[in-house]
Amino acid sequence: MTQPGYRHRIIIMDRSGSIANILTGQQGGLREFFGSEAQVPGRATYSLWDFDDEIRCVHSLAPLDAVTGYVIEPRGWTALHDAVGDAVTAEGEKLAALPEEARPEDVTVIIASDGEENKSVRRTGPEVARMLARQQDAYGWRVVYMGTNQDAFAEGAKLGARPDLTVNYANSNTGSLNSWAATSELLSRAPVAVACAGGGYGFSETERKLAESPRLD
């Protein structure tokens, strides 16, 4: 049996060059997301990966205070498939190596990207989708996809993200900030949940409208 109440967030952050256009909102939204997480009771750990045409594991299975100082530095292209595949593989192996009673009850992957895949060389979309489907179906992982400057639902679906946990946000600092606020709201309603449990769990219409708010910057 996994450890009740223990949640683990795997954040996969796009830092490609175009993020510079919404950097203020993305950085501020992530900061507010971490602030919201600090208010949720129970044990939590965080893994933070970022990517452009290079993929980095910045933190893995770290406490909240270790990740709050992360700074996004835009550069490069968008190797989305490589990044998600690398993160899911590495984090899944680390969790699998833990005794079952030490594993988190909930694992939530949060993918934030402002554009379509254009630079992966090692992994394909279908391969990554199969990986995420297995984690969702076999282990109850949740996969949240936050996308802008694209058809977020189409791009998220290519990775196996389910429509109810996909949000499209306005391509602006306001939209970026609000997308993180919407994700905080989503997770605050069910800090620990099983992705395949069904029951209509997902972004509410209010949360979607918040993320799609008109440009104010």
Side-chain angles (χ1 to χ4, degrees):
M1 180 179 179
T2 55
Q3 188 175 134
Y6 172 22
R7 66 191 190 278
H8 180 56
R9 312 295 198 213
I10 302 170
I11 299 169
I12 306 173
M13 172 67 67
D14 187 343
R15 64 162 183 163
S16 58
S18 55
I19 285 288
N21 298 324
I22 55 172
L23 180 59
T24 300
Q26 195 80 310
Q27 189 74 66
L30 185 60
R31 187 180 306 113
E32 291 188 12
F33 173 80
F34 288 143
S36 175
E37 284 286 298
Q39 305 306 310
V40 180
R43 184 187 176 199
T45 53
Y46 300 82
S47 292
L48 197 158
W49 292 66
D50 67 9
F51 69 95
D52 48 273
D53 45 306
E54 296 181 4
I55 293 95
R56 301 191 306 172
C57 176
V58 183
H59 295 283
S60 185
L61 288 167
L64 181 60
D65 60 3
V67 300
T68 53
Y70 168 71
V71 176
I72 305 167
E73 298 175 332
R75 40 156 286 172
W77 297 77
T78 308
L80 177 62
H81 297 161
D82 284 352
V84 175
D86 287 0
V88 169
T89 298
E91 298 299 325
E93 288 175 351
K94 290 178 183 179
L95 294 173
L98 296 173
E100 186 174 1
E101 65 274 12
R103 296 174 193 165
E105 179 182 11
D106 173 78
V107 178
T108 299
V109 179
I110 302 171
I111 304 167
S113 180
D114 82 322
E116 298 178 4
E117 156 68 48
N118 61 25
K119 201 62 177 179
S120 291
V121 295
R122 294 178 288 103
R123 301 183 189 275
T124 65
E127 176 188 357
V128 173
R130 287 191 296 271
M131 293 168 61
L132 282 175
R134 179 174 183 274
Q135 299 303 115
Q136 290 174 90
D137 295 338
Y139 301 106
W141 286 25
R142 290 184 287 187
V143 178
V144 175
Y145 186 81
M146 302 159 53
T148 188
N149 200 29
Q150 61 187 274
D151 181 337
F153 293 93
E155 294 305 310
K158 291 177 185 177
L159 299 175
R162 295 168 181 174
D164 53 350
L165 293 178
T166 297
V167 65
N168 183 72
Y169 63 94
N171 189 33
S172 65
N173 284 311
T174 301
S176 184
L177 183 73
N178 287 346
S179 70
W180 284 103
T183 298
S184 293
E185 289 293 325
L186 170 78
L187 296 180
S188 71
R189 289 189 278 109
V192 175
V194 178
C196 56
Y201 172 78
F203 284 103
S204 68
E205 190 62 28
T206 299
E207 289 157 358
R208 294 188 185 281
K209 288 181 178 179
L210 174 65
E212 295 170 357
S213 298
R215 184 187 186 101
L216 299 176
D217 51 297

